[in-house]
Amino acid sequence: MQFEYEIEGGNFSRAGYASSEVKKRLRQLNVDLQIVKRIVVALYEAEVNVVAHAYQGKMIVEIDEKKILLVLEDSGPGIADIEKAMEEGFSTASAEVREMGFGAGMGLSNIKKNVDHLEITSEVGEGTRVEMITYMNKGR
Amino acid sequence: MKVSDLIKELGLTVHSGDKGLDKEITGGYVSDLLSDVMGNADTGMIWVTLQTHKNVMAISSLKDLSAVILVKGLVPDADTAAQSNTENIPILGTDDQAFEIAGKLYCLMNCQG
């Protein structure tokens, strides 16, 4: 089963919309509540990253019995140094975005803590792809 | 403790989300950093903040928070209040600053007798 949602860069009033739609779907599909709670954190952070940094993007969610695959792809400035971006507290967000309470440099570590697998690939000037996987039955 | 009990005990204003006043409160979280709330607040908590924009509701809804308290007499943006009404997650207000209201909340929920 696969869903796809568009994300509009720069539009903060819509930030969280795609994540909220996915949350509803997962609930309808009776996905374990603890899994939904963790996924929602990772999804929202990834969605806000697209809104705050990119021009446009999409969220693709693929669910099967074993796992949930979440992919966020954007066209945007890309990330020059992914290792640096992963550091807690590091952010390139604008002053305006920070004033709203974003840009604390906690987003990617929130994602890392809440999914079982995270892979970020990026090309400067092109865009970024964030792939996350959560296993339905972790530890097996 | 319900949201409505807090309103009575602490003299809070109801800005929006009246239909959610029966929600149970399991605890509280105080922060103005959205990722901090996203990563650390939990279901059923009441969130004390000075942020008034719409993402406050996006987070409250995604995290299944019980209510939001805006400090220092701040009021929610129009679209924030609208979403609060849709989601039935109340936005409350106080003239207190965060330390004061957090102290009162904490005591109300934890100081017995």
Side-chain angles (χ1 to χ4, degrees), chain B residues 29-47:
Chain B
Y29 203 76
V30 185
S31 184
D32 303 317
L33 292 177
L34 305 188
S35 286
D36 181 30
V37 179
M38 207 58 215
N40 298 297
D42 209 348
T43 306
M45 285 185 172
I46 190 159
W47 175 15

Side-chain angles (χ1 to χ4, degrees), chain A:
Chain A
M1 200 177 301
Q2 187 174 315
F3 322 117
E4 200 176 307
Y5 302 92
E6 296 293 320
I7 305 167
E8 204 181 314
N11 186 352
F12 277 94
S13 72
R14 262 181 79 86
Y17 176 79
S19 304
S20 161
E21 288 302 303
V22 173
K23 182 188 174 191
K24 282 181 209 157
R25 290 291 190 110
L26 296 179
R27 284 253 175 105
Q28 282 164 6
L29 292 167
N30 281 323
V31 174
D32 182 89
L33 201 61
Q34 294 308 316
I35 292 180
V36 178
K37 279 170 82 165
R38 293 179 71 222
I39 279 184
V40 155
V41 175
L43 267 183
Y44 178 77
E45 294 290 1
E47 183 177 356
V48 164
N49 281 345
V50 174
V51 175
H53 298 285
Y55 316 129
Q56 60 175 19
K58 58 185 168 182
M59 179 188 286
I60 304 152
V61 182
E62 214 179 288
I63 304 171
D64 62 38
E65 285 157 18
K66 287 185 182 153
K67 64 179 187 305
I68 304 175
L69 169 70
L70 313 153
V71 177
L72 282 96
E73 283 174 340
D74 69 54
S75 44
I79 304 170
D81 186 343
I82 292 173
E83 210 173 307
K84 185 87 187 160
M86 291 298 297
E87 279 177 21
E88 195 141 353
F90 179 82
S91 176
T92 58
S94 68
E96 199 188 351
V97 169
R98 283 172 202 253
E99 208 159 282
M100 291 174 78
F102 295 111
M106 299 169 77
L108 288 177
S109 58
N110 265 355
I111 294 177
K112 207 174 169 184
K113 277 179 219 158
N114 286 288
V115 293
D116 298 324
H117 164 89
L118 168 65
E119 194 178 323
I120 303 173
T121 47
S122 186
E123 202 159 325
V124 174
E126 293 288 326
T128 301
R129 183 178 191 275
V130 176
E131 183 184 298
M132 304 174 277
I133 298 174
T134 292
Y135 296 101
M136 296 289 196
N137 213 341
K138 213 191 157 188
R140 261 172 30 99

Side-chain angles (χ1 to χ4, degrees), chain B residues 21-69:
Chain B
L21 297 181
D22 273 348
K23 283 187 201 288
E24 280 292 329
I25 297 169
T26 57
Y29 203 76
V30 185
S31 184
D32 303 317
L33 292 177
L34 305 188
S35 286
D36 181 30
V37 179
M38 207 58 215
N40 298 297
D42 209 348
T43 306
M45 285 185 172
I46 190 159
W47 175 15
V48 178
T49 184
L50 53 68
Q51 300 290 355
T52 59
H53 55 82
K54 203 179 164 195
N55 283 270
V56 168
M57 285 319 300
I59 289 170
S60 302
S61 163
L62 286 168
K63 298 289 289 183
D64 296 312
L65 304 182
S66 292
V68 176
I69 298 181

